[in-house]
Amino acid sequence: MGGWDIYCAICGGPFTGIYFRSGNLPRDKYLFPLGPDSQEAAPQQEDDEIRGNVGENEEHDGNGHHNADDDHNNEAEKEDADEAWSDTDLECCYDDAAASRVESHWMNRTQVLGYNPDAPGLQKSFLSGVGNGENIEYGHLEVPSGGDDSFPTEDLFEGMASLSGYTAYDKDESPCIPFHPDCYALLERAFRKQTSRENIDQDTLYRTLIALAGNDELSQKLNVNYGEPEPPLEQYWVTERGREVHLANPLKITGLDEKLNKLPRSDTPPASNSQIPSWFWEADSLPDDLNLSALSTAIKRWASFDVMKTSLENIRNGTLLGLANRRRIWGVLEQLAGEYAAAISSSGAQHAPGSATELWIKAHAINRQLPPTMLPNPLKEKDTRQESCFFVKSWNDADRGASVELHWNSDGALVGITSGVSLFGNSQPLDGRTAVVTLPAGDWIQAMTLSFDGTVFNLSSCADEEYTAWIAGITIHTTAGLQHEIGSTVGPKRLLTVSPSNTFVGLIGQTDSKGISRLGLLECPREEDTKSPPVPEAEKLLWKHEVLPSQIRALPFETGYWKFLPLNFVQQEALILGTTQEELSRVSRIGVCAGVSGEVLELGRQSRTSYMPMGLAVEYEGQEIRKIGCYNDEHINWFDIDGAAGERLTRVGIGMNELPKRLEFVTSYGRHSQQFGDPQSNYVDWQQAAEGEILVGIAASFGYPRGHTLGTTSINALVMQMPPGV
């Protein structure tokens, strides 16, 4: 279908694709005639007002008067214009007599409200800086950070981040909500009027707006009524000549001050200004003796727009296009304010912190990661809410011991966690159950291992179905080294930890009536200067059997550009060669099972078979074999390693295309293996241990369905501090 435009969530207008007629446009080519030949001709003063900025090719003197000496040149230009511009051409460009290019520049400025689950603070949404509307392609916008602490700065390239508007092709990306900065300023005014709240809760606003974006694969706007005249929201913005009202700035109303100064005064003080609409805030700074009845009548005329007439005809009847556009947009904002107020109400009462310690904890608490924990993703569901729940309000709460209740629904999904009077999620699931873990004094939560269940972990084909996943069990790890297993803990696992120098103080995440769709730990330092380390790569991954041992470090990996599933739900498997001198000396060879990934059409229209790794194995002396992925004796290729003589694996090369397509190895003896998989890849990601470390294994995920097998979706090296004797 090619590309597409995305539109401002607030006004429904475009960020680009606005076309004007340039140069001399003969008057009889307007949709209706201007000047004395028109049956509805306006006074000359109004006509001059209407035409506004001149065309690029017209010449005027310093006082704005036409230069008669150049009439002969202009006549020739008009003849050329008549030939170059057909009636169809004119329908496809705006009339700059009604709205000039300069006046519409506010629409080329872009800002977004986004969501970053990796933001360290409690607030996960961010308001970007202002970008250029011309930099929008295939639903992606380029915007600067704007200084918001929650902005995903790791995505910046040359100071700009490319973000997906309304819907995201990348299954691990949270889409953003785009709008014009002037429209957002209008939203802030409207929300203060409608909700009686001075500040906007950004997380709640994002949740409100994204729920209105719909679940379509291609969303271009919110599912709201954008009023009359309705913006032409098609695959691309449709220029409707005569609808220049959509381009008029709703904040800065051209010609309003002059008209206000002409209104009559009144000797009688008004009883109230209730007859003045809430969107006309200019009334707040008008003289006290202004005749409000006359003002009310004038506002109705200035803000009216007859959809059966063009913008110029409406201007002739007294309409101020900016005010008419503001009135239309205010109707959108009233809808959004109602949804926002309902979302604020559903999130529960906000209790003010009490003690100084509680204030400290809430001000300094951080969350280092907030992974998704449910499929399908309910991000755009109306009852999804962002929650922060504090179990610790004083340090004594963490030291004196406590009971933790875990609530499960009838399907075995975790839906809530309670400690004392603090509840995260839901506490009374229908036909569910509650389990209780009692922690003694001096022992507290240090980490949680989440165990999962669902159809997403039983992929067998590339069928187009809605996969499911949920938290089926939790293992609570305590500061005393104890482990408490609750629920079903046999499925894939993800580890959430608290920094060694911090204290667990609560939970953060997203919840709805079905369960917990994101879950993270809140942690807080007891001293202000304490810094938290970054989350280890292994803790960002979902492990098929057991989480990676703490002494082993996973290196970051690349994924290519293809994703069948969100990587957060693709299971990682670890092929550990050994963690001791004795184990590593027994390694005799490492193998790769490569399978067909498809047919590739090469230049010259000759196809070839493409291969990719499907499984990995290591063999030890005595023929013991460890394996991950799809292991097949008939399709495995081996690379010998003389572990007994001290030869070690030192480098792993991952050939990347849309997926990891090949593997190759280098040893401490400088020997290179053959290339396992597709020899033709875009580039090779070489991974090796840092100084003082040793490569001890390979991790891989297999989430690419190929018939009854699964192809590789990620490969990365595993390293650890060099063990004694190596």
Side-chain angles (χ1 to χ4, degrees), residues 73 80 199 206 237 261 313 332-333 348 387 413 434 490 561 610:
N73 294 327
D80 292 339
N199 298 317
Y206 175 82
W237 178 259
N261 291 333
E313 289 175 307
V332 179
L333 294 172
E387 285 193 52
T434 295
V490 297
Y561 56 82
S610 175

Side-chain angles (χ1 to χ4, degrees), residues 104 183 199 227 345 409 449 462 656:
S104 66
C183 287
N199 298 317
S345 177
N409 66 16
T449 299
C462 198
M656 298 295 301

Side-chain angles (χ1 to χ4, degrees), residues 369-390:
Q369 64 166 329
L370 188 63
T373 55
M374 178 189 290
L375 284 178
N377 185 350
L379 175 65
K380 294 187 176 182
E381 300 298 329
K382 280 195 173 183
D383 66 341
T384 299
R385 58 187 181 274
Q386 178 90 15
E387 285 193 52
S388 298
C389 178
F390 286 85

Side-chain angles (χ1 to χ4, degrees), residues 10 45 48 83 150 161 171 181 216 224 237 250 272 322 358 382 399 419 437 516 529 542 554 575 643 691 693:
I10 298 169
Q45 180 180 358
D48 292 340
E83 295 177 2
S150 297
K171 299 177 186 296
D216 297 339
V224 296
W237 178 259
S272 71
E358 185 176 357
K382 280 195 173 183
D399 299 334
S419 180
V437 174
I516 298 172
D529 294 335
L542 180 71
L575 180 67
E691 185 176 354
E693 293 183 326

Side-chain angles (χ1 to χ4, degrees), residues 482-496:
L482 301 178
Q483 296 184 11
H484 302 272
E485 293 187 358
I486 312 98
S488 175
T489 58
V490 297
K493 296 171 176 60
R494 180 188 292 276
L495 180 64
L496 305 176

Side-chain angles (χ1 to χ4, degrees), residues 408-411 428-433:
W408 313 83
N409 66 16
S410 57
D411 294 326
Q428 296 178 338
L430 295 175
D431 302 322
R433 60 187 178 84

